[in-house]
Every structure is written in structure tokens, then in C-alpha cells.
Amino acid sequence: TRFALDVPARCASAGTLAPDVPLCLVFGWVNARDAHVKKYTDVLTRELECCATVRATMPTARAFSPFERSRVAYVTEALTFARRAYGGQTPRKVYLFCFSNGGCWVQATLARARAEGTIARELMFDFEGVIFDSCPAFMSMKSGGDALTAVMRQPLALVVRLTFYALVLVLATVHLCTGTYDQMLTRKFWTTMLNMPNEKKELYIYSLSDTLTDPQKLEALIAHRAKNSANVKVLCFEQSPHCAHLRKHPDDYVKALREFIV
């Protein structure tokens, strides 16, 4: 299933969800298995019973596509699916939950869509808050290759990594030759995340030991956002792997979600 809806037990018999039921849109990391992302939506719908969730993971080809319209089309589908779950009504509270850059591309796409009008305004939500788990991650050639091949075995991982490096070099060369280097996918993503409009509140969950998301770069982004009046909240761990903070620190993680989604 491309998009999956989960609801708290109290709403299970409803044909469509009432606007007073909060909604959280949850987008997984690159190549995430649905069962792994569902562990997070289960916390929200079963353990905390605080909201309904729409769960999805953007296909890798769309996440890394040089064409913005591919991500716009995907996010439009996700928003349409969520709207249908509420029978066309707007939930009073909507949250966005992003994992790694695979999920964070959704927020970046929405931020640009608000400015450029590439997604119909009637589909868009005004978020009560946005949660960033292990993101946004500053993208370099190495970190991009690491993210793409994190769950792959050799020799496939090597082939995918080298192919990715070659494509990045080709695109970088094109941008340099055409004077559009600032429009390169990775640079545009980071600029968008630095300067996107402030949400009502933003929660950043990360680890100082993360090998895919550079904590220093992320902390610099958080400081920049806070300096520009963003309502920033932080949950930082000394030790836990990329997108595995719930597994390593379940009590602290769930407590942060409980306090944020109210």
C-alpha cells in the first residue's frame, strides 16, 4: 500500500474521521520498510492514542530526482489521500513527522510549494507542529551514497554508490557550466530547510553519534532557525544510530512525542 491510514481504537468504527481527531502525516526514510515506519505510527495511534496517522515512504527515485515536479506529484497524492480520510474536511490539528532526508523532502517540497503555488492551496495543511527525526541532513556525495546503500549488500551497494557519484558529478558539471550551481538539488534542499517559513513549533530529534546526519551541521541549522524566531524544541542523544532513537531510548522518545502532539 502506498499510503496507509491508522486510527486510534476509539475511531475504528467511523467511516470518515471527524475534524476533532488530530492527524499526523508520517514519512519514512529512504528505502524504509513499511513495518519499521509502522512502529512509530503504532506509538501514536495505539500507545498514546493521540491522533490518526497517514504513513508513507517516498520512493527513492522521487526523493533523489533532479526534477521537483516528481516530488510535487507525490506530496499532492499524499495530501489528497489524507483529505479523503476526513471526508474533505480539515482536521483541527495536523502534524508532520519526517524521518531522515527521505521524509524531510516532503517538508522541503511543501515549503517551496507554498512560495511557488505548485500544490493547490485547498490541499495544504497549516501544521500544528513538525517533527524531524535524524534530519535535515546536510548532503554531500559521501552521505548521499551512504544513505542510498545503508541496507544494501555488496556488490550491489558498490554499483549503486558509484552510479550515484557519477550522476552527481554530471549534474554538478552541468550546473557549473550553466551558472546555476545554487540550484543544484543538494544546495537547494539545504537552503530551503534553513530558510523555510517557521512552523508553530518544530521538534528536532537527533544523535551526536549519527554517521549519516552530521550533528554539527544540524545544530547549526537549528541555531539559525531559533535565531530567526522559530519555536524550536530539541531532543538530542549522545548515542543512538540514524533513525533508531526510539529503539535505543524508548521512554525519552515517547515522552517527547506525548508532550509535542497535544
Side-chain angles (χ1 to χ4, degrees):
T1 303
R2 194 172 203 181
F3 304 108
L5 174 69
D6 288 309
V7 300
R10 69 179 187 277
C11 307
S13 61
T16 57
L17 292 168
D20 62 346
V21 179
L23 171 66
C24 186
L25 305 174
V26 182
F27 292 91
W29 54 96
V30 168
N31 294 325
R33 294 182 181 179
D34 184 65
H36 294 164
V37 182
K38 191 175 186 299
K39 291 178 181 178
Y40 294 87
T41 58
D42 282 348
V43 169
L44 299 173
T45 60
R46 296 183 180 183
E47 184 174 345
L48 298 179
E49 293 191 284
C50 59
C51 62
T53 62
V54 169
R55 181 180 75 253
T57 296
M58 186 183 295
T60 304
R62 288 184 183 249
F64 284 93
S65 171
F67 304 109
E68 181 73 6
R69 63 178 177 271
S70 180
R71 285 180 291 277
V72 167
Y74 177 83
V75 173
T76 298
E77 288 180 53
L79 296 176
T80 301
F81 180 91
R83 289 281 183 185
R84 285 174 181 164
Y86 283 81
Q89 300 184 82
T90 300
R92 295 197 185 114
K93 291 185 177 182
V94 185
Y95 298 85
L96 178 63
F97 199 161
C98 307
F99 290 88
S100 193
N101 281 0
C104 204
W105 273 116
V106 174
Q107 172 66 355
T109 301
L110 287 168
R112 286 201 287 269
R114 289 189 183 103
E116 300 169 5
T118 50
I119 295 177
R121 186 69 189 91
E122 59 267 23
L123 285 179
M124 304 278 273
F125 293 110
D126 294 320
F127 295 122
E128 194 71 18
V130 180
I131 304 168
F132 300 94
D133 183 313
S134 307
C135 65
F138 183 82
M139 287 187 285
S140 63
M141 283 184 65
K142 182 181 183 302
S143 64
D146 289 345
L148 276 174
T149 60
V151 297
M152 295 180 183
R153 295 182 178 180
Q154 298 295 355
L156 177 61
L158 179 61
V159 172
V160 170
R161 182 183 291 272
L162 293 177
T163 302
F164 172 73
Y165 286 172
L167 288 172
V168 171
L169 286 172
V170 169
L171 285 171
T173 301
V174 170
H175 283 295
L176 283 170
C177 292
T178 57
T180 58
Y181 190 63
D182 285 342
Q183 295 301 307
M184 191 170 177
L185 184 67
T186 53
R187 293 176 65 85
K188 195 172 181 180
F189 169 82
W190 195 249
T191 300
T192 297
M193 298 312 299
L194 275 171
N195 302 316
M196 63 184 177
N198 295 340
E199 301 291 350
K200 292 180 182 177
K201 54 184 178 179
E202 303 169 11
L203 172 60
Y204 295 85
I205 305 174
Y206 65 99
S207 164
L208 298 179
S209 64
D210 194 329
T211 57
L212 293 179
T213 297
D214 183 334
Q216 292 183 330
K217 292 283 190 182
L218 177 53
E219 286 176 341
L221 179 141
I222 293 170
H224 175 84
R225 305 266 320 138
K227 184 179 179 180
N228 285 280
S229 303
N231 180 10
V232 168
K233 303 177 186 301
V234 170
L235 179 60
C236 176
F237 299 108
E238 287 285 336
Q239 294 284 334
S240 54
H242 189 72
C243 291
H245 313 306
L246 174 62
R247 189 180 75 227
K248 294 289 289 185
H249 308 279
D251 293 340
D252 291 336
Y253 198 102
V254 172
K255 180 175 181 288
L257 294 184
R258 181 186 292 112
E259 293 174 351
F260 192 80
I261 300 181
V262 293

